[in-house]
Amino acid sequence: MKVAVIGAGNGGISMAAHMALKGNEVSIYSKFNNEMKEIIDKGGIYLKNGCVEGFAKMKLASTEISKVIKDAELIMVVAPAFAHKDIANEIAPHLEDSQIVILNPGRTGGALQFRKIVKEKNKNLESIVIGEAQTLIYASRKVGPAEATIFGIKEKVSFAVLPSSAIDVAKEKIQKIFPQFTPLENILETSLLNIGAIFHPAPCIFNAARIESTKGNFEYYHEGITPTLGKILEKIDEERMNVAKGLGVKNKSTIEWLKDAYGVEGNSIYECIQKNKSYSGIKAPSNINTRYISEDVPMSLVPIAEFGQLVDVETPTIDMIINLANIIHDKDYRENGRKLEDMGILKEEFINDEAAASKFVF
Amino acid sequence: MKVAVIGAGNGGISMAAHMALKGNEVSIYSKFNNEMKEIIDKGGIYLKNGCVEGFAKMKLASTEISKVIKDAELIMVVAPAFAHKDIANEIAPHLEDSQIVILNPGRTGGALQFRKIVKEKNKNLESIVIGEAQTLIYASRKVGPAEATIFGIKEKVSFAVLPSSAIDVAKEKIQKIFPQFTPLENILETSLLNIGAIFHPAPCIFNAARIESTKGNFEYYHEGITPTLGKILEKIDEERMNVAKGLGVKNKSTIEWLKDAYGVEGNSIYECIQKNKSYSGIKAPSNINTRYISEDVPMSLVPIAEFGQLVDVETPTIDMIINLANIIHDKDYRENGRKLEDMGILKEEFINDEAAASKFVF
């Protein structure tokens, strides 16, 4: 299959190489010359020391997005969520009907925002499909400009698309490459089952001094998430669940998710995390200017709080985390985050009834 | 002079013993039998290994407050601020006119709250004086049931009284024992120059995980207050200053206070703290159930925020710290803290004009 990858960071080059080694014709794009140079020079990407290895030849590596996506049946966007807006603006004029774009992952409201921009920028499109994965399929790291190591590949990755009616077409195509991709009906399910929103900003904020004074040299999960932190995370999780309930979409608590993803069971988030050996050895970010805040606050917590406003569900703890992130980073993440209007939702148009969620099944 | 000390913790037994060694007739009270037993048995308190040493005979040590305060010209309350309410209720029926009660320290609004309770409970009193010190004069520790070590005695302790017209009488008496006590005109000055409100709750909250996972084994000031923490503390300090300004009372920023108290200078709280060698070796509390939160949130941050409401000054960061403390301790510190009504202040009666602060000069 002809596929395109947008983004050449840890995830992007891993996915591009992996798909090529699976026999697909892969093109890769990044707007950054320094990210693309070596891939262009070598003509491909090396996967080393991981669960997939080999030299993966690229059909094309380029900083020109129009060339990279031309004729691609599937376009995988593998970039920080705060880049989705720019990528949508850049890609919109060049998209063709029946192409499928998947954000890996979308965080919260990624596909909604991406679709809104694409529709506004390219009014000729009639049957474009925009989707989002709930998480990135890989645990991987870029180890050189054209080299990556894939440590692990998830067994299951939920995804959903807009319009929801296109899910079968999308599923068929994606599963040819990634049988792990499991379709969900409603884009709000992938958007609200956002566990990064729980595990990323608050533990960084409540370990801010330790991150700064030790340069992140402590166990992020096992030392950074103590009983008190667990309590705070449970408040955030409860608010996320309330928002999902208010929207009428299926969801899972973080405790349920930890059980499904890692098989650990316990009565509290703290207990489950302590039992999860997969989290051993994961160190904290080395400084407080981390994507755990700069990505997950505006692209996860802000849209969750915004969905809360839509259905009149209060999110005081989430609001507090957003405010603290603003102080710490000197930003206005609420204003610059994914707001309802960015996701193409007008509260006035939204009627809060039992079929509320169906409003998002475009 | 006949003096009474209410409280037999670190500060209480140190002050009782020190005053006795200075030649005063000192009685000491605690409602806790276990705190009083050994002092009663020994007839006094030992000061050891510190800057004052010796056996200090008590005139009386008792769990009966009426006996302890009888005929005392000066009554020093040396107890956590969250105990002030109970002590006021207990002591009120036994107080006599012309006695002087000083809270060491009052935190924010201590004297106001104490006076309100005393006045309500004992309507016969006409000339009672209730005051508060801005800080405890000692750095000291209880090292046995009837033993303490005084590490240091502050060179200057600000205090103020209600009614403010009694300041000269109060000053004369107190300075006979403690020449360090320096009178301020307005009780709001002692109440709002509350640096514990800055240095206690927020650093604990933003080091919560580290306190729990290391049992407080890190430098509270030098490792626990990093540039990011400093930023948060500056926000809180700014709000405290704005409240003082709104009330029309003199105040100092934490940076100015650090200069006055320790001679350190810098452009940020972080910088000043790093330069302050007196903070070296001070470890964090060993667990998150610390008075740095349970005392300083309800008795410092809450009344500061309440004063803010009185003069329409917003305190969003302080409010956030209160909310976080509520989550961490499963409490409602706002509801159970010192509110305007607890301090005997009715917003309806309070006119926000240039002479606003004079309202508190009873």
Side-chain angles (χ1 to χ4, degrees), chain A residues 19 29 31 39 42 51 59 81 95 118 150 176 178 201 211 222 224-225 240 349:
Chain A
M19 292 197 295
Y29 163 85
K31 72 172 174 181
I39 301 174
K42 295 206 167 132
C51 51
K59 189 186 150 211
L95 283 173
V118 163
I150 296 178
K176 276 186 196 159
F178 295 116
I211 287 172
H222 287 164
I225 297 179
R240 181 185 64 86
E349 281 181 17

Side-chain angles (χ1 to χ4, degrees), chain A residues 10-276:
Chain A
N10 291 315
I13 67 169
S14 302
M15 189 178 277
H18 187 207
M19 292 197 295
L21 290 175
K22 277 171 176 268
N24 299 285
E25 284 182 46
V26 182
S27 300
I28 185 166
Y29 163 85
S30 162
K31 72 172 174 181
F32 303 111
N33 279 312
N34 63 333
E35 278 190 340
M36 294 311 288
K37 189 178 175 306
E38 193 125 337
I39 301 174
I40 294 169
D41 289 352
K42 295 206 167 132
I45 296 156
Y46 290 90
L47 290 182
K48 290 184 173 174
N49 307 320
C51 51
V52 187
E53 300 188 354
F55 177 72
K57 195 173 173 299
M58 294 291 108
K59 189 186 150 211
L60 173 68
S62 167
T63 55
E64 285 182 61
I65 204 163
S66 58
K67 290 185 183 168
V68 168
I69 66 165
K70 187 159 176 45
D71 299 329
E73 292 178 60
L74 184 61
I75 300 169
M76 296 299 237
V77 176
V78 192
F82 48 65
H84 288 164
K85 186 178 170 181
D86 285 349
I87 293 171
N89 275 302
E90 220 174 333
I91 208 170
H94 312 294
L95 283 173
E96 292 157 30
D97 266 324
S98 85
Q99 285 188 314
I100 296 170
V101 181
I102 304 288
L103 309 179
N104 292 276
R107 305 288 169 200
T108 299
L112 284 164
Q113 180 181 26
F114 206 95
R115 183 172 181 270
K116 176 175 187 267
I117 294 168
V118 163
K119 286 268 185 187
E120 279 172 4
K121 279 252 165 178
N122 187 339
K123 302 209 188 291
N124 298 322
L125 290 170
E126 281 174 10
S127 61
I128 191 81
V129 177
I130 311 282
E132 65 187 21
Q134 189 262 321
T135 182
L136 178 63
I137 190 170
Y138 305 108
S140 67
R141 186 120 326 149
K142 194 167 178 172
V143 292
E147 290 175 12
T149 298
I150 296 178
F151 303 108
I153 301 173
K154 296 197 178 82
E155 285 174 20
K156 191 181 153 187
V157 173
S158 301
F159 81 105
V161 297
L162 294 166
S164 59
S165 56
I167 191 68
D168 289 335
V169 179
K171 173 189 159 188
E172 207 195 312
K173 287 221 171 132
I174 294 172
Q175 287 189 345
K176 276 186 196 159
I177 305 178
F178 295 116
Q180 299 94 332
F181 271 58
T182 308
L184 294 179
E185 259 188 14
N186 191 318
I187 202 84
L188 292 183
E189 289 183 50
T190 42
S191 272
L192 285 164
L193 186 58
N194 182 345
I195 306 299
I198 311 301
F199 285 167
H200 294 165
C204 284
I205 288 170
F206 293 97
N207 281 288
R210 193 178 201 177
I211 287 172
E212 287 182 305
S213 74
T214 68
K215 298 193 168 48
N217 189 22
F218 62 94
E219 295 266 324
Y220 184 72
Y221 287 93
H222 287 164
E223 296 182 315
I225 297 179
T226 57
T228 289
L229 256 284
K231 257 192 224 174
I232 295 169
L233 302 192
E234 279 160 17
K235 287 267 178 194
I236 299 169
D237 201 43
E238 195 187 319
E239 293 173 10
R240 181 185 64 86
M241 297 284 289
N242 288 342
V243 171
K245 198 177 163 195
L247 287 162
V249 289
K250 273 183 274 180
N251 205 329
K252 277 179 200 172
S253 71
T254 293
I255 290 179
E256 290 167 327
W257 180 85
L258 281 164
K259 187 180 170 192
D260 287 356
Y262 295 103
V264 292
E265 291 186 57
N267 293 317
S268 66
I269 289 182
Y270 166 70
E271 201 185 324
C272 294
I273 284 175
Q274 292 303 313
K275 284 185 182 169
N276 186 2

